[in-house]
Amino acid sequence: MAMEIPAEVRRYWLPILLFTAGFLFQLLVLPRHFPRTHYDVLGIERFAPVERVVEAYERLSKEWLTETNHQPTVDIIKIRYAYELLTNPILKRDYDLFGLDEHMDVLERVKEQYQKEHFLKIDLPLLKDSAVSLTDDAFNVLTHESFMSAIAEEYPLIIMVYSKGSPRCAQFIEYWKQISARLDGIAKTAMVEVGDSQLAGHFAEKGFSKQPFFRNGVPAIVAYPANCRSPSCYMRYLGGLFVESVVDWVATSVIGLPRILYYSKEALGPQFIGKSGHHKVKVIFFSSTGERAAPFLRQAAQEYSSYTSFAFVLWREDESQIWWNSLGVESAPALVFLKGPGTKPVVHHGTFSKSEFTEMMEEHKHHELRQLRSDTSLELGCDARGHSRAGNDAAIWYCVIVAGRPGVELSKKRQILHKAQDQLIGDVDRSAIGNVANSVEMSSAATALKDERLTFVWLDGEVQKQICAFYLATDYNGACGPSDFGDDNDKPEIFIVRFQRNATYEALKAEKRNNLVEALQGQQADASQLVARYKGPDEIQEINRWISQIIKDGDSREIPYFTSKVPDLVPEETSKEWLRSTKSIRSAGKSLREKIGFHFQDYLTDPRTGSTLLMCGCISFGIIWFRNNKSTQSTQREKAPKDKTKRPRPKLSTSLFGQPESIADVEPKDARQWEMSDSDSD
C-alpha cells in the first residue's frame, strides 16, 4: 500500500518547494558560480598591487620547500597561475576591469598533466606571451576622442573590442582583416582596446553587481547602423567568431541588404526566371563552393532591384552539360546576364572585383529591348509629356512599340523587333567605319537611331490596357487587356508613334488657356502624336524598311499639329524578392530580450535569487496559513450546538402608559364592579 502524503504537506507544498529551492541555491548553486578569485588563492585583498602579489607568492613558495609541507601539487599550480596572471600588467588590468581570464584552459591542462608529479617538475612559466601586434596601419584603433566623430559618418561602423594580452584576439586578428576587406565600401571597421576603460566599458554588459563584463569574452563585436548617431544605439553581435557569420550579420541585420538565394536546376526556371519581373535582367552567379553572396553583390541587388533580379546556382560537374547547352557556362565561378527572350546570354568566367562588377552591371542592367513602363517612359523618350532621348531641342522623334499579352507570341515579336534594332545598330557601326554599302531605305532609320530620335520598346498590353487600346484604336482584342476565358488568340502588334513639339503653338495654347494653376505647377503640354501600325510580314528587312519610310515621311512632310489626351501608364508593382527588415537597435545593450532575463545563467550568479525564493516561500506560507485558519474558524462556528430554549419575546404595548393590551386577568385591589343599566332592557 502506497504511503499517503500528510495533509499538511499537501497543503503547504508550494512554500516547501520554494524554501527547498532557496536553501539549495544558497548552499550549492551560488558557491559554484562564485569561485575563489586569484587574489583569494594568494591570500591577499582584491585589486592588490603587484608588490603585494609578489610578497604573497614568495611567502607561499618558501612553505613549499619545507619538509613539513604536504600541500598538493594542484594547489601549488593554482598559486603559480595566480602569480603569473597578476604580475602581468595587461592580464591584471583585464582581470581587474572586466574579469577577463582567457588562460583557464592552460590551468586545467597543467593541473591534469602534473597532478601526480612533484611541483619541481612543472614547466614554468605557465603563461606564454600572446600579445596582439597591430603593425598594420589599416587598423583603425579608436580613442574616446575619435569615437564620436566615427559614429557621425554616413557609413555603418563595426567595432571590435580587443585586448593586447588575449590569445583569442591574437588568433582572430587575421579573420578581422578578412572581414574588413569584405566589408570595404559597405561599412567601416574600427577597434577599441580594453585599456581604454571608459570606451570599452561602454560596450560591456553589467550584472547585478554593476561590474562590467563581456559575456563571451573578447574579442567582442558591436555595430552602429548608418542612421545611428547616438553612442547608446549600438547592436551587439552574439554569434560565433567566423568570417562568414560576422559578414552575414553585418549585411543582413546592420545594413539590411537582401539575401541572394540559391536555386537548383529544376527550380531556376519556374521559381526564379518565371516569377521575377518580365522587364528585369536576370543575373545568375555560378559558385563551386556554395558560399554566401559577398556584401557588394547584395548591395548591387538592392541598388539595381528596379532593373535586375539576382540568383545563385551551385555548380555540379554532373550538371555541367546542362548549363553549357542552355547558358553557355563552361565552369564555375561564372556570371550570366539574361537580357530578354531571344537574346544570347552574356557570360563572364572567373572571379571579378567590385569595380569590375559595377562596370558590368552598368553595361548590362537593361534589356536589349526595354519595356515601356510608367517609370521608364520619360527616360526612353516614349512619353507625350516628355522629350526625345536626344534632348529638348529635338522637335520630332519616334518610338517603335510591340504590344501584346505576355506569352510565347509576344516573346517571338520581341525577338524579331530586337533583331531589327540590332541590324540598324550594325548599319550605324558600319557607316562609322566608312562602309557605305547600306541600303537607301534604311538610312533614315539608322540616322534617327544614331541621333537618339528613335527608340525600340515593348509594352505589356495586359497591364497597360488603356494606352494600348488608345494607340491601336478599335482593333486591339488580340494585344490589349486580359484574355477572356478560353481565348488563346494572342496577336501582338507592332506600331510606331511619331512625337512632335511646336514651341510657338504650345505658347499660344498656353496663353489661350490662361490657367494659373497649371502655370504655377509647371505642367508640360502633351506633344503631338501620330500612330502607324505595321501590317507586313514578320521579316526584319521589311520592318526596317517600313520604319525608315515612316521616319523619312515624318521628317519631310508638313503634318498638321494637333494634340490629344493620352491615358497615363499604370504604375506596375515592383515584385521584390526581398523585404528590407527594420533594424532593431539595442540601447546600450539593454534589449527586451536581456531585460526579461533571457540568459538563464545570469540568475544563477545573482545572490538575490536565493533570497527571493526564500521570501516568496514565506509569503506563500503566510497566505496559506491565513486562509486555512480563517476557514477553520468559520467551520467551528457552524458546528457549535444551538440552544433550543427560546427566550420569550416581550409583547409590545400600544397604550400610552405602557400597560399591557389585556388586563382581564389582572384585577387591582381597589377595583369595583359597576352595574350598568341597559336602556333597551325593557
Side-chain angles (χ1 to χ4, degrees):
M1 181 176 180
M3 183 178 63
E4 184 179 0
I5 301 176
E8 294 296 327
V9 176
R10 292 200 306 267
R11 184 178 298 113
Y12 292 97
W13 69 269
L14 181 59
I16 294 173
L17 179 62
L18 293 174
F19 280 132
T20 304
F23 282 116
L24 291 177
F25 182 86
Q26 294 294 115
L27 298 176
L28 300 179
V29 179
L30 195 60
R32 293 182 57 187
H33 290 84
F34 283 89
R36 300 174 65 196
T37 65
H38 297 309
Y39 293 99
D40 297 333
V41 172
L42 295 174
I44 57 178
E45 67 278 6
R46 190 173 177 83
F47 306 123
V50 178
E51 293 77 10
R52 291 278 294 117
V53 174
V54 175
E55 293 175 1
Y57 177 75
E58 291 178 351
R59 175 176 51 83
L60 294 173
S61 61
K62 291 179 181 179
E63 297 178 359
W64 301 343
L65 302 176
T66 61
E67 296 181 358
T68 59
N69 176 57
H70 300 288
Q71 193 168 13
T73 304
V74 173
D75 294 342
I76 297 176
I77 294 174
K78 291 181 180 179
I79 294 173
R80 177 66 189 188
Y81 178 84
Y83 165 74
E84 292 188 14
L85 186 140
L86 296 179
T87 53
N88 186 310
I90 297 179
L91 299 182
K92 185 179 187 301
R93 178 204 65 186
D94 298 347
Y95 184 72
D96 291 344
L97 290 177
F98 303 104
L100 295 175
D101 184 6
E102 298 186 358
H103 300 80
M104 292 300 294
D105 58 330
V106 177
L107 177 61
E108 296 299 328
R109 185 176 67 252
V110 174
K111 286 165 54 178
E112 183 179 356
Q113 181 179 358
Y114 295 101
Q115 61 180 349
K116 297 182 180 180
E117 301 289 341
H118 194 271
F119 71 91
L120 293 177
K121 296 182 180 181
I122 300 176
D123 184 18
L124 300 178
L126 301 179
L127 302 181
K128 310 300 181 182
D129 186 19
S130 59
V132 179
S133 177
L134 299 179
T135 58
D136 194 347
D137 296 335
F139 290 109
N140 179 21
V141 181
L142 295 179
T143 62
H144 187 265
E145 291 74 19
S146 60
F147 168 67
M148 293 304 298
S149 60
I151 65 174
E153 298 181 4
E154 61 179 354
Y155 284 95
L157 179 64
I158 316 302
I159 299 176
M160 181 183 75
V161 182
Y162 76 101
S163 171
K164 294 181 179 179
S166 169
R168 293 181 63 197
C169 294
Q171 298 173 1
F172 186 73
I173 199 67
E174 294 299 326
Y175 291 162
W176 184 249
K177 292 180 181 179
Q178 299 179 32
I179 293 172
S180 301
R182 297 189 64 176
L183 295 177
D184 184 30
I186 308 296
K188 292 190 175 182
T189 57
M191 302 173 66
V192 172
E193 216 278 323
V194 170
D196 191 343
S197 58
Q198 184 177 2
L199 188 54
H202 176 71
F203 301 123
E205 300 181 56
K206 293 179 176 60
F208 68 93
S209 62
K210 304 302 180 183
Q211 177 71 20
F213 69 97
F214 292 97
R215 185 176 303 277
N216 298 323
V218 289
I221 299 176
V222 297
Y224 283 88
N227 59 346
C228 176
R229 296 295 181 268
S230 172
S232 62
C233 64
Y234 62 84
M235 303 172 66
R236 194 187 308 278
Y237 176 68
L238 302 176
L241 296 176
F242 305 102
V243 176
E244 288 292 334
S245 301
V246 175
V247 171
D248 182 68
W249 173 74
V250 173
T252 304
S253 302
V254 179
I255 306 178
L257 297 179
R259 294 186 182 275
I260 303 178
L261 304 180
Y262 272 82
Y263 294 88
S264 63
K265 69 177 188 300
E266 294 84 8
L268 184 65
Q271 297 297 327
F272 174 66
I273 298 177
K275 290 188 176 181
S276 55
H278 299 291
H279 65 287
K280 291 186 177 183
V281 174
K282 312 303 184 293
V283 184
I284 306 174
F285 303 89
F286 285 85
S287 172
S288 58
T289 60
E291 61 182 356
R292 294 189 180 102
F296 73 87
L297 296 179
R298 297 174 63 176
Q299 186 182 43
Q302 177 178 324
E303 293 177 351
Y304 293 94
S305 60
S306 300
Y307 310 101
T308 58
S309 297
F310 288 72
F312 260 86
V313 173
L314 181 61
W315 177 266
R316 301 179 185 275
E317 290 298 332
D318 56 344
E319 299 174 354
S320 59
Q321 191 63 35
I322 298 176
W323 301 123
W324 167 252
N325 295 333
S326 58
L327 300 176
V329 179
E330 297 180 1
S331 61
L335 173 62
V336 179
F337 293 91
L338 299 180
K339 305 175 68 175
T343 60
K344 185 179 180 180
V346 180
V347 183
H348 173 84
H349 288 93
T351 59
F352 46 83
S353 63
K354 179 182 178 182
S355 59
E356 293 173 343
F357 178 71
T358 303
E359 293 178 0
M360 287 188 288
M361 285 300 302
E362 287 296 324
E363 181 181 358
H364 303 294
K365 68 179 181 180
H366 295 303
H367 274 184
E368 297 292 348
L369 188 67
R370 297 185 60 182
Q371 182 184 7
L372 181 59
R373 296 164 53 88
S374 59
D375 55 352
T376 61
S377 59
L378 292 174
E379 176 189 355
L380 296 173
C382 296
D383 195 322
R385 298 170 182 80
H387 294 271
S388 168
R389 292 187 296 124
N392 297 349
D393 296 335
I396 300 175
W397 68 97
Y398 303 87
C399 187
V400 180
I401 304 173
V402 54
R405 305 185 186 101
V408 177
E409 295 299 325
L410 178 60
S411 297
K412 292 179 181 179
K413 288 282 187 179
R414 288 172 59 185
Q415 295 179 30
I416 294 172
L417 197 61
H418 169 245
K419 292 179 180 179
Q421 179 186 16
D422 285 346
Q423 189 179 73
L424 292 179
I425 293 175
D427 292 345
V428 172
D429 295 338
R430 285 190 294 271
S431 63
I433 60 177
N435 187 355
V436 294
N438 301 329
S439 62
V440 177
E441 292 81 6
M442 290 186 184
S443 61
S444 300
T447 302
L449 185 64
K450 178 182 178 181
D451 297 339
E452 296 185 338
R453 294 193 305 115
L454 175 62
T455 306
F456 289 80
V457 296
W458 69 277
L459 180 70
D460 187 344
E462 185 174 358
V463 176
Q464 307 293 348
K465 175 182 178 180
Q466 294 183 350
I467 194 171
C468 179
F470 173 80
Y471 283 134
L472 295 179
T474 56
D475 189 12
Y476 61 84
N477 292 331
C480 304
S483 58
D484 297 332
F485 180 76
D487 182 15
D488 297 331
N489 187 23
D490 290 340
K491 295 180 180 179
E493 298 286 347
I494 298 177
F495 59 93
I496 185 170
V497 182
R498 175 186 181 273
F499 297 93
Q500 180 181 4
R501 284 198 176 278
N502 189 317
T504 304
Y505 176 82
E506 292 179 0
L508 292 174
K509 189 174 181 180
E511 291 180 2
K512 291 181 180 180
R513 185 167 57 243
N514 195 20
N515 192 326
L516 180 61
V517 176
E518 292 186 1
L520 292 175
Q521 294 178 349
Q523 292 184 355
Q524 179 67 51
D526 292 350
S528 174
Q529 300 175 81
L530 288 178
V531 181
R533 294 178 58 186
Y534 177 70
K535 298 183 179 180
D538 292 339
E539 297 179 2
I540 298 174
Q541 297 286 349
E542 291 297 326
I543 293 175
N544 282 338
R545 187 177 293 108
W546 171 73
I547 294 174
S548 297
Q549 187 63 42
I550 292 292
I551 294 177
K552 182 178 179 180
D553 294 342
D555 290 344
S556 59
R557 293 183 180 182
E558 290 290 337
I559 300 177
Y561 185 88
F562 66 93
T563 61
S564 59
K565 181 65 176 177
V566 183
D568 294 331
L569 286 165
V570 178
E572 300 183 6
E573 296 182 1
T574 302
S575 58
K576 296 182 181 294
E577 294 81 8
W578 53 274
L579 293 175
R580 189 168 184 175
S581 59
T582 305
K583 293 186 281 292
S584 57
I585 300 176
R586 301 178 180 180
S587 177
K590 296 179 181 178
S591 64
L592 178 61
R593 179 177 167 183
E594 294 171 353
K595 287 181 180 179
I596 64 176
F598 177 81
H599 301 283
F600 180 72
Q601 190 176 2
D602 292 350
Y603 291 107
L604 299 181
T605 60
D606 192 344
R608 297 172 295 183
T609 302
S611 58
T612 302
L613 292 173
L614 295 175
M615 183 181 65
C616 293
C618 293
I619 294 174
S620 62
F621 178 83
I623 293 174
I624 296 174
W625 178 86
F626 178 76
R627 290 181 176 178
N628 183 59
N629 189 42
K630 186 177 179 181
S631 61
T632 303
Q633 292 179 359
S634 61
T635 304
Q636 290 177 354
R637 285 197 300 268
E638 292 177 358
K639 293 183 178 180
K642 298 181 179 180
D643 189 4
K644 297 182 178 180
T645 59
K646 296 183 179 180
R647 184 178 178 181
R649 183 177 180 181
K651 296 182 178 180
L652 298 178
S653 175
T654 57
S655 63
L656 181 61
F657 301 101
Q659 288 90 350
E661 294 181 356
S662 176
I663 57 175
D665 298 332
V666 182
E667 184 176 346
K669 295 180 180 180
D670 55 349
R672 293 182 181 182
Q673 295 290 337
W674 289 86
E675 293 183 1
M676 299 183 66
S677 59
D678 190 358
S679 58
D680 296 333
S681 61
D682 296 334

